[in-house]
Amino acid sequence: MQLYTSMGPNPRVVDMFLAEKGVEIERIQVDILAGENRRDSYLKVNPSGQSPALMLDSGDVIAEITAVCDYLEELFPEPVLIGNTAEQRAETRMWCRRIDLMITEPMSNGFRWGEGLDLFKSRMFTAPEASDAMKAMARDGLQWLDAKLVGPFIAGQRFSLADIQLFCFLDFVKAVGQPLDASNTNIVQWMQTVSERPSAAASIHASQG
């Protein structure tokens, strides 16, 4: 297998997932700042032009972080990061979907249409006038999650893909105009806990090549 990866929170999710598993996969760095991900050579790998993308030994490609992590969990089931049972797997995917819809997607658009506009405006649809609204939507989602976060992790006692996903995005956007509101005390404590995991540091280095 080969993992096409780059800088950014999406690739880091897969890097951190692999670090938790203790699994090494050959990585091919894609220079997104230079627009390599929008060139024909990469679009043949992943037509969406996004990273990461996992090329299997068969030549088939799996893209989108949840699909990639689902596949890797099947291949490398220990330690469990999605779930041992149907109920646990459904719970993890539920939280990943909530985080995606309520926090990380609006947060990402707030960045792409705001601080990252110069990079993204020629590569995808952008709506600069909606950047502030997207950031506000993400803040609202974080406030909602803060009230629901009663265990040490998002899925209660289990560290899961949901924690990895949110951590990687919050750690990225804090430096590009969306710092975490200190009033979200449960999430602040959760961020500190997750940042102390060895996979947090390992995934930074992996994403930087």
Side-chain angles (χ1 to χ4, degrees):
M1 291 187 295
Q2 295 176 315
L3 180 65
Y4 288 80
T5 189
S6 66
M7 62 182 295
N10 280 298
R12 189 181 178 192
V13 169
V14 176
D15 286 330
M16 190 167 174
F17 193 88
L18 286 168
E20 285 283 337
K21 297 280 186 185
V23 172
E24 279 295 329
I25 292 177
E26 179 186 355
R27 287 174 170 83
I28 299 174
Q29 291 292 325
V30 180
D31 188 347
I32 61 173
L33 293 179
E36 186 180 351
N37 58 315
R38 298 293 165 174
R39 297 173 189 162
D40 288 343
S41 58
Y42 185 72
L43 293 175
K44 291 176 182 177
V45 174
N46 184 7
S48 75
Q50 297 174 333
S51 73
L54 182 66
M55 180 171 284
L56 310 184
D57 293 340
S58 65
D60 292 332
V61 176
I62 300 173
E64 309 303 334
I65 56 175
T66 50
V68 171
C69 291
D70 261 328
Y71 180 78
L72 293 171
E73 178 101 338
E74 293 284 339
L75 288 187
F76 310 105
E78 297 294 335
V80 176
L81 294 174
I82 295 178
N84 269 320
T85 65
E87 181 179 0
Q88 287 183 350
R89 290 189 290 273
E91 182 182 40
T92 300
R93 291 167 183 145
M94 173 187 72
W95 282 111
C96 285
R97 183 62 172 158
R98 286 173 170 172
I99 289 167
D100 227 358
L101 290 174
M102 301 175 68
I103 302 171
T104 60
E105 190 58 29
M107 181 181 285
S108 297
N109 282 331
F111 165 69
R112 294 183 191 117
W113 302 347
E115 290 81 358
L117 183 61
D118 286 345
L119 178 63
F120 289 100
K121 63 184 178 183
S122 63
R123 303 183 183 189
M124 61 176 60
F125 173 85
T126 58
E129 69 281 2
S131 174
D132 288 344
M134 289 293 98
K135 293 175 182 178
M137 182 177 176
R139 290 194 299 270
D140 186 68
L142 284 167
Q143 289 174 355
W144 178 86
L145 180 61
D146 188 75
K148 301 290 184 284
L149 191 58
V150 294
F153 302 114
I154 291 171
Q157 299 300 313
R158 296 185 300 115
F159 180 78
S160 74
L161 175 58
D163 298 287
I164 294 173
Q165 178 184 345
L166 184 61
F167 173 79
C168 290
F169 277 84
L170 290 182
D171 200 44
F172 173 77
V173 300
K174 70 183 183 184
V176 289
Q178 297 182 70
L180 180 60
D181 189 333
S183 67
N184 294 314
T185 54
N186 291 327
I187 296 179
V188 169
Q189 177 58 53
W190 166 87
M191 277 288 289
Q192 180 60 39
T193 298
V194 177
S195 71
E196 293 170 357
R197 299 180 75 89
S199 62
S203 59
I204 291 177
H205 299 311
S207 295
Q208 292 175 342

